[in-house]
Amino acid sequence: MEIKTLSQLDLQNKRVILRCDLNVPIKDGVIIDDRRIRASLSTIRKLLAKDCSIVVIAHLGRPKPDQKNNLSLAPVAKRLSELLETEVAFSEEIIGIKQKTDSLKTGQILLLENIRFLAAETSKDELERKALSSELATYGQVYIGDGFGAVHRKHASVYELAKMMPHAAGDLIITELGVLEKLTMNPNRPYGVVLGGAKVSDKIGVISNLLEKVDLIAIGGGMVFTFLSAHGKEIGKSLVENDLIPTVKELMKRAENLGVKIILPTDIVVAKEFNAESNATIVASDEIPKDQMGLDIGPESARFFADEIGKCKTVFWNGPMGVFEFNNFSNGTRSVAQALTKIDGISVVGGGDSAAAVRKLGFSDQDFGYISTGGGASLEYLEGKELPGLVALS
Ligand code: AMP
């Protein structure tokens, strides 16, 4: 798929519609982590250097009609302005503002309110999405897609709008794709993938697609209990997706035939209740008591996972090894993160909860080869799926 870059589009003096991913965590009006905003700066600065005016479109969360107040992009406009050291105007209106966008002068930036406040943005009805994007298209002359975290969504401002206008991808998308290509085209070996998080169903596609490409897959988190259950082990009250057990069995058989090592924990940190104060005990993974649930991989497994990761030259990691939000159950995730920081090769943290976990546990972004800004988007890319937002930019 050939994707145009900023340098391949005539941008001089243009009014640009820029789709960014500014979906940052905000608590009580305060931005807790501004990395997605920072990741968008490179493209914005390049556009400013080309004397463009910029209409920025972005989303925040998944608003329902009664939730709007908590999901306004107003604090993001302020932060963006601070980071750029230039004024960023904010428009509460999204529709019917052509006059406002027409009057933007060179170097002026206007951020529109959360595009997902409009149901048409995410509508399943193509005509509704097209009606919205037709309106948005009147606000600029060219379209730059840079919201990597949203490229797996067939949304009006990501897909239809891009197709309607002369377009190119911004720097963030190009950087993310460069990293993902390293994971899929001739990766240095051994190549290991570490998967965790709550649900197997989210990761089945990735495991299936990467089986042909990797040397080892280490599995932890809540998803591991479906694997342990598929091996016939008692998993007590742990998370499980019973309907996926046949699929998991099939994957394990395929892995065996391909000579791919699937590593499962040999010990588990269990507790009676799902809460931060729960008493944590360590048991063998085939001795989980019926009345307890597994909330982290155990120390022996964490050491083993770390050793195996340490031998790899390429590692992709998505999903915490345990409930990292609770101190008692964060050690597995910490060990894996630590091992990733030391590998002699490329380590990629696949956004979402894994990125939140490494930051919460005190690691810095520079400790890793790359931390993706798009958890879902990078997973879907690695599943081998076509991402609408990239198709539209090709
Ligand atoms: P995901 O969004 O699928 O990557 O899942 C991330 C979430 O999985 C985090 O909030 C973790 O607390 C949770 N998680 C990890 N391990 C477990 C576990 N053993 N049981 C329940 N939840 C878990």
Side-chain angles (χ1 to χ4, degrees):
M1 193 161 35
E2 193 69 26
I3 289 183
K4 260 195 196 161
T5 60
L6 291 176
S7 58
Q8 291 169 297
L9 199 64
D10 177 17
L11 292 165
Q12 195 60 44
N13 262 309
K14 292 280 193 296
R15 187 160 48 260
V16 177
I17 298 183
L18 174 64
R19 178 58 161 100
C20 288
D21 175 10
L22 304 176
N23 188 18
V24 290
I26 299 179
K27 208 173 170 197
D28 303 324
V30 179
I31 295 170
I32 298 164
D33 180 347
D34 65 2
R35 278 165 238 239
R36 278 183 165 152
I37 307 177
R38 289 174 187 273
S40 306
L41 297 178
S42 164
T43 297
I44 296 176
R45 289 198 176 114
K46 279 193 183 165
L47 295 176
L48 293 176
K50 291 265 181 200
D51 297 328
C52 296
S53 54
I54 312 173
V55 179
V56 183
I57 299 178
H59 70 277
L60 192 62
R62 295 179 181 182
K64 297 186 191 94
D66 53 348
Q67 252 195 352
K68 280 190 182 174
N69 289 344
N70 298 329
L71 292 172
S72 169
L73 278 171
V76 172
K78 191 164 165 275
R79 185 70 190 127
L80 185 58
S81 169
E82 286 164 7
L83 291 169
L84 287 168
E85 295 178 340
T86 187
E87 198 192 331
V88 173
F90 181 68
S91 175
E92 282 180 19
E93 277 80 42
I94 304 172
I95 297 295
I97 53 164
K98 182 165 161 44
Q99 250 185 346
K100 209 187 262 186
T101 54
D102 277 353
S103 64
L104 287 175
K105 303 212 171 58
T106 294
Q108 289 188 323
I109 305 171
L110 177 70
L111 171 64
L112 308 190
E113 180 57 287
N114 189 349
I115 189 73
R116 290 194 186 165
F117 282 176
L118 304 178
E121 165 70 358
T122 56
S123 172
K124 296 258 179 292
D125 182 342
E126 189 184 338
L127 290 179
E128 279 182 27
R129 295 198 308 268
K130 277 191 171 157
L132 171 58
S133 44
S134 302
E135 166 77 10
L136 297 173
T138 64
Y139 299 166
Q141 298 160 301
V142 297
Y143 175 95
I144 303 298
D146 209 23
F148 179 73
V151 290
H152 56 315
R153 307 287 186 204
K154 202 170 195 176
H155 290 170
S157 70
V158 178
Y159 181 70
E160 277 82 10
L161 183 56
K163 292 216 307 181
M164 254 171 215
M165 305 181 71
H167 55 243
D171 283 357
L172 177 61
I173 284 193
I174 297 297
T175 303
E176 295 266 3
L177 286 181
V179 172
L180 289 169
E181 273 169 15
K182 279 192 196 150
L183 295 178
T184 43
M185 293 176 189
N186 290 325
N188 281 338
R189 295 186 176 280
Y191 178 7
V193 171
V194 186
L195 295 174
K199 286 169 133 192
V200 189
S201 43
D202 291 350
K203 313 271 155 63
I204 282 285
V206 176
I207 300 176
S208 181
N209 197 44
L210 290 183
L211 263 186
E212 317 273 336
K213 301 190 170 79
V214 303
D215 302 295
L216 100 99
I217 302 181
I219 297 178
M223 65 183 277
V224 82
F225 301 101
T226 305
F227 281 77
L228 293 176
S229 190
H231 277 291
K233 296 194 170 154
E234 169 63 51
I235 53 158
K237 294 195 294 176
S238 310
L239 273 188
V240 65
E241 286 170 86
N242 282 318
D243 53 325
L244 286 177
I245 287 178
T247 316
V248 162
K249 281 185 176 162
E250 209 183 292
L251 283 177
M252 291 192 298
K253 187 103 213 107
R254 260 182 70 207
E256 199 184 320
N257 292 339
L258 289 163
V260 174
K261 260 206 260 182
I262 294 205
I263 304 175
L264 302 178
T266 48
D267 58 347
I268 302 285
V269 185
V270 297
K272 281 211 163 119
E273 305 295 335
F274 185 91
N275 68 55
E277 283 72 42
S278 269
N279 216 2
T281 35
I282 299 156
V283 298
S285 57
D286 50 6
E287 285 175 5
I288 300 176
K290 275 201 165 60
D291 63 340
Q292 308 231 0
M293 62 185 84
L295 296 179
D296 194 11
I297 60 171
E300 178 185 272
S301 313
R303 269 194 303 277
F304 182 53
F305 280 28
D307 283 349
E308 292 292 318
I309 291 166
K311 294 177 199 159
C312 292
K313 295 263 187 265
T314 305
V315 182
F316 172 72
W317 174 31
N318 190 295
M321 294 294 99
V323 185
F324 70 92
E325 296 92 336
F326 303 157
N327 252 342
N328 281 349
F329 309 103
S330 62
N331 289 330
T333 304
R334 187 177 287 106
S335 298
V336 161
Q338 190 79 45
L340 250 81
T341 65
K342 292 196 185 131
I343 72 157
D344 173 21
I346 171 171
S347 59
V348 179
V349 181
D353 274 310
S354 341
V358 296
R359 286 163 189 157
K360 179 168 188 292
L361 297 175
F363 293 91
S364 98
D365 285 23
Q366 286 67 39
D367 292 334
F368 304 92
Y370 190 70
I371 300 187
S372 175
T373 58
S378 50
L379 274 182
E380 288 201 18
Y381 183 99
L382 294 175
E383 276 177 52
K385 284 191 183 161
E386 272 204 334
L387 307 185
L390 298 183
V391 173
L393 292 175
S394 68

